[in-house]
Amino acid sequence: MVVLRMAHRGTFITFEGLDGCGKSTQMRRLAVRLRKMGRTVLETAEPGGTPIGLKVRRILLDSANRELSPAAELLLYFACRAQNVDEWIVPALERGDIVLSDRFTDSSLVYQGIGRGLGVEPVMALDRIACRGLVPGLTLLIDIDLETGLQRAHARNRRENEIESRMDEQAVEFHRIVSGAYQDLAAREPERIKVIDGGRTMAAVERDIWEIVARYVS
Ligand code: TYD
């Protein structure tokens, strides 16, 4: 197996957080700012990203797929990630670009590893296959309370007549476990994972993110 060299010229930043935490909006705003500075930015998202990943996303998030097993779910998230890493992320990093990803392996750790109870080690084993040593340099974890996040996610699903709601529809207890798992992860890796209070205005959250990223990319 080819091991990806860690000495990419580019910068890999990921966004994490509960459904409805506002990370997708923040990621778009960050991309705009970085481009204004003349940087080349690849924006990607998981599950999805590449055209193949988007097909897998439909299976993962279709609310009709209630019988999808936890192991199948985990493998499908990593199928998207493997394709994203090989087709988009690594080539961009090799060109020296900035890559912004809306979710990455941390999501699988907290949702499948802890939330579904599949364990951290199986998730990391798949990470070794799909990502081969590629770890984000910086992860922005947007922290909001569970109720606010779920309210926003459910409102969005109703507004957009969303069929991609299988994960949002999980029991509140599942999301509570995921929320705790994010906190534990951030406490274990304070250098890489920066926690941002997402319970404020979009502008305030954006300011905090920029303060962290500006230092990181300069
Ligand atoms: P999505 O519609 O992209 O929403 P969000 O804005 O919350 O990211 O839904 C992605 C869902 O998939 C979300 O509930 C988190 C979940 N997920 C996992 O369970 N494991 C993973 O590895 C990833 C990438 C996402």
Side-chain angles (χ1 to χ4, degrees):
M1 186 186 300
V2 182
V3 175
L4 297 173
R5 285 191 304 125
M6 294 305 293
H8 296 300
R9 291 188 300 129
T11 305
F12 186 25
I13 300 174
T14 58
F15 282 74
E16 293 284 349
L18 295 177
D19 305 67
C21 72
K23 63 187 162 37
S24 311
T25 308
Q26 292 297 340
M27 196 180 99
R28 272 197 304 277
R29 291 186 181 193
L30 177 60
V32 169
R33 271 194 193 231
L34 290 166
R35 288 191 183 111
K36 275 193 189 143
M37 286 170 58
R39 306 295 296 256
T40 304
V41 181
L42 170 75
E43 289 174 77
T44 185
E46 293 192 353
T50 65
I52 291 172
L54 284 174
K55 291 184 184 170
V56 181
R57 175 185 169 93
R58 277 187 218 120
I59 303 173
L60 273 166
L61 301 185
D62 187 341
S63 54
N65 289 340
R66 287 186 203 289
E67 65 279 21
L68 189 67
S69 81
E73 180 183 284
L74 173 67
L75 291 166
L76 289 172
Y77 277 115
F78 268 101
C80 285
R81 188 161 302 130
Q83 190 65 34
N84 205 1
V85 166
D86 286 342
E87 189 180 342
W88 280 6
I89 298 178
V90 167
L93 292 175
E94 282 176 348
R95 287 192 301 270
D97 298 347
I98 295 177
V99 175
L100 303 180
S101 185
D102 187 343
R103 300 190 180 281
F104 200 64
T105 295
D106 293 324
S107 283
S108 297
L109 277 172
V110 298
Y111 284 84
Q112 282 68 51
I114 309 297
R116 298 285 191 225
L118 292 170
V120 167
E121 187 38 43
V123 175
M124 292 318 293
L126 292 175
D127 182 81
R128 287 192 286 278
I129 297 170
C131 308
R132 308 190 302 285
L134 177 69
V135 180
L138 174 66
T139 295
L140 301 159
L141 171 57
I142 306 195
D143 184 37
I144 43 153
D145 69 85
L146 190 61
E147 283 70 26
T148 312
L150 284 179
Q151 266 169 20
R152 285 193 203 161
H154 291 154
R156 179 187 59 194
N157 291 342
R158 277 195 302 274
R159 203 173 47 242
E160 293 168 15
N161 206 5
E162 189 65 272
I163 56 157
E164 289 191 338
S165 57
R166 196 181 62 88
M167 294 301 287
D168 303 338
E169 286 167 7
Q170 302 296 312
V172 175
E173 193 44 37
F174 174 79
H175 292 285
R176 197 179 309 286
I177 293 170
V178 168
S179 174
Y182 264 133
Q183 299 305 326
D184 293 347
L185 194 63
R188 273 205 307 279
E189 290 191 62
E191 280 304 305
R192 173 174 69 89
I193 305 176
K194 304 297 178 200
V195 183
I196 291 139
D197 176 3
R200 298 163 303 148
T201 62
M202 286 289 183
V205 176
E206 186 179 352
R207 234 181 352 260
D208 278 11
I209 289 178
W210 184 243
E211 222 169 80
I212 295 167
V213 173
R215 253 180 282 139
Y216 187 70
V217 298
S218 65

